[in-house]
Amino acid sequence: MKSRKGIVWLAVVLILALIVFTNRSRVHFNWAMFWQQLRYISWIHIIAGIALIYSTYFLRAYRWSIFLGPTKRVSPFVILGPQFIGFTAVSLFGRLADLIRPALIAKRVQLPISTQIAVYTIERMFDLGAAAIIFSSALLFTPPGLPHREIFIHTGVVSLALTAFIAIFAVVIRAAGGAVATAIHATLRPLSPSLADSVTGRIRSFRDGLNAISSARDFLVTTLI
């Protein structure tokens, strides 16, 4: 098994090397300018930036473990790896790969993926809330004559609207998820009993996953993060 995995990794590396080699003429990179600019870099800032970036992965894992608390107690270190893998996938393939994290975490902690998508929704709600606060705060310090200031205003309004929409959606599902599941089950059952059972089961699992903050202390910690 290990030898087979080694062959797969070797094949991937060779394919990537071949892609880089065949496209080398399309990339115009000025190495002289690169090394010239490298001399003016503040390495203290570089090290601080790298430390801050990597600390966010642990903070996200810690916050995710808090969200998992009502369902299953999990150490942040157990779900730290999926954070690295998930955000690497996002860097390579874009936001379409964002659901890799909840899928990997669901497999790691042996819970339904629908519950982890619910946790992911809560995480996004907090992130959008933080982004909305950042944009709104930035507007207080930007001069009226700043170029493209309307972009900051528009982005802040959109962030606040998205935050409110996700919050309302989560509250509705959490409060009335059972009623929604029952109504959908009654609607789909004449068409396909198996489909009705599957959809309603996922809705109930999603609702259970939304029970992610069990105390005021957990809410305070996640808000600070």
Side-chain angles (χ1 to χ4, degrees):
M1 181 63 70
K2 290 184 178 180
S3 61
R4 186 176 300 176
K5 288 184 178 180
I7 294 174
V8 171
W9 278 109
L10 179 61
V12 171
V13 171
L14 290 176
I15 292 172
L16 290 176
L18 180 62
I19 293 174
V20 172
F21 180 78
T22 55
N23 292 277
R24 68 187 187 282
S25 60
R26 300 181 182 180
V27 180
H28 303 285
F29 193 83
N30 191 333
W31 285 100
M33 181 64 69
F34 172 75
W35 293 114
Q36 181 181 356
Q37 295 297 321
L38 197 62
R39 292 183 300 175
Y40 299 101
I41 288 178
S42 172
W43 289 103
I44 294 178
H45 290 164
I46 293 294
I47 294 172
I50 293 174
L52 288 172
I53 290 171
Y54 278 85
S55 67
T56 62
Y57 295 126
F58 175 77
L59 289 175
R60 285 185 176 276
Y62 180 58
R63 183 174 63 176
W64 200 292
S65 69
I66 294 175
F67 291 151
L68 275 176
T71 306
K72 188 175 184 178
R73 291 291 178 182
V74 177
S75 169
F77 295 101
V78 173
I79 54 179
L80 183 59
Q83 304 294 331
F84 285 98
I85 298 172
F87 282 107
T88 301
V90 171
S91 299
L92 294 175
F93 305 111
R95 280 296 171 185
L96 290 176
D98 217 6
L99 294 180
I100 288 179
R101 277 192 306 136
L104 291 175
I105 293 173
K107 185 177 180 180
R108 179 68 62 88
V109 301
Q110 298 180 347
L111 288 173
I113 188 173
S114 55
T115 62
Q116 301 314 295
I117 292 177
V119 173
Y120 169 81
T121 303
I122 296 293
E123 182 195 54
R124 293 289 95 180
M125 184 171 62
F126 274 87
D127 288 347
L128 285 172
I133 292 172
I134 290 172
F135 283 118
S136 300
S137 301
L139 292 176
L140 298 176
F141 301 98
T142 54
L146 184 71
H148 308 295
R149 185 172 184 265
E150 66 279 0
I151 295 178
F152 288 92
I153 298 175
H154 178 72
T155 306
V157 170
V158 170
S159 298
L160 286 172
L162 286 175
T163 302
F165 173 78
I166 294 176
I168 293 171
F169 173 77
V171 169
V172 169
I173 294 296
R174 182 66 187 92
V180 172
T182 301
I184 291 178
H185 187 274
T187 303
L188 295 179
R189 185 171 179 78
L191 301 175
S192 172
S194 59
L195 177 63
D197 293 339
S198 176
V199 172
T200 54
R202 291 182 181 277
I203 291 175
R204 290 192 175 95
S205 296
F206 185 76
R207 179 200 58 187
D208 294 339
L210 288 176
N211 187 24
I213 303 176
S214 58
S215 67
R217 175 185 176 276
D218 288 346
F219 178 80
L220 178 61
V221 171
T222 51
T223 302
L224 289 175
I225 292 175

